[in-house]
Amino acid sequence: QYDDEGNLIAKGEVNYFPVNPKLEALIEILKEKGPKEKTVVWSVNVPDIKAISERLEKEGIKFVTYYGETKDADRDAAVKAFNEDPTIKVFLGNQAAGSTGINLWGYNPEWVGTEKDHGCNVTQVIYYACNWNMVQRAQSEDRCHRRGTRETVRYTDLVVPGTIDDQIRARVLAKQMTALSIQDVRKIMEAILEAVPVDEE
């Protein structure tokens, strides 16, 4: 069992597959990226983040990490490096730790139009493992979709059919649809109230 930042809080037996199809799919996607493309990878589980880190190192793909165990100073440095260093292709983090307060464009917007602009952009956000928290999901999606975003960003969930991945994704989508419906009703009510004249005494 894990807390919101992916730290293990209840121990049990964990069995790892010698070949992880989800990890293989992630690496395949990252290897197909162009030289100017950067990717954000979110996972709720620290063991997954560590396994992905080991594989990225093995593949020679430069990355930064941002999760519960990352110190505050290192978090700032990770965001800065991801946005400013064209050789760092992946931002690997935990949605709870990185869902608010950071901007992940893959470039520094202050450098646009200058010699410092390396031309890189985040083009994809990959959800390797999610939790049930719709708010964290929505906030983590917003990290790359900011004012000044230069490229379209694709959002991808790596889901293993027939596993809890399916259930989590379905429930989070259902929560998002409910939230959108509530927002629509609120807008309709506000429009009605604005249209109704107020009686003057």
Side-chain angles (χ1 to χ4, degrees):
Q1 185 178 357
Y2 298 91
D3 64 16
D4 286 340
E5 291 202 355
N7 299 307
L8 187 65
I9 56 176
K11 294 186 177 180
E13 185 177 344
V14 178
N15 295 309
Y16 292 97
F17 295 103
V19 177
N20 183 335
K22 190 186 281 191
L23 182 54
E24 296 305 317
L26 173 63
I27 297 302
E28 184 177 336
I29 291 170
L30 295 176
K31 283 184 170 182
E32 292 176 353
K33 295 293 179 186
K36 299 293 185 182
E37 294 185 273
K38 294 193 175 195
T39 308
V40 174
V41 178
W42 296 116
S43 179
V44 295
N45 303 319
V46 171
D48 283 339
I49 291 174
K50 291 181 177 178
I52 295 167
S53 296
E54 290 176 8
R55 186 61 184 276
L56 292 175
E57 287 177 0
K58 182 179 178 182
E59 297 291 342
I61 299 172
K62 292 186 73 173
F63 66 99
V64 294
T65 55
Y66 194 111
Y67 60 105
E69 295 177 13
T70 310
K71 297 176 182 176
D72 288 344
D74 293 335
R75 291 184 183 201
D76 293 341
V79 173
K80 181 178 173 65
F82 180 70
N83 287 330
E84 296 183 359
D85 185 343
T87 68
I88 295 177
K89 301 302 183 184
V90 176
F91 182 96
L92 174 59
N94 174 279
Q95 295 99 303
S99 61
T100 58
I102 59 174
N103 297 316
L104 302 173
W105 296 286
Y107 68 94
N108 184 333
E110 295 177 5
W111 292 358
V112 175
T114 71
E115 292 180 359
K116 289 183 175 182
D117 187 358
H118 47 63
C120 295
N121 298 281
V122 169
T123 58
Q124 190 169 11
V125 176
I126 299 174
Y127 288 86
Y128 187 87
C130 293
N131 60 17
W132 309 94
N133 192 316
M134 184 205 71
V135 174
Q136 286 180 4
R137 171 65 185 234
Q139 289 175 337
S140 65
E141 287 179 357
D142 288 345
R143 297 311 95 210
C144 300
H145 195 262
R146 317 296 290 162
R147 181 178 295 173
T149 300
R150 300 189 290 190
E151 295 288 337
T152 301
V153 179
R154 182 188 328 158
Y155 295 87
T156 303
D157 285 86
L158 294 182
V159 175
V160 178
T163 68
I164 196 168
D165 289 350
D166 273 337
Q167 296 176 35
I168 291 173
R169 188 67 192 120
R171 289 192 186 181
V172 169
L173 278 173
K175 290 178 183 178
Q176 288 175 324
M177 295 303 294
T178 300
L180 289 172
S181 297
I182 291 170
Q183 287 177 351
D184 288 342
V185 170
R186 185 178 294 129
K187 287 179 183 175
I188 292 168
M189 294 302 294
E190 288 172 354
I192 291 171
L193 291 173
E194 286 178 6
V196 175
V198 178
D199 292 335
E200 296 182 3
E201 295 183 0

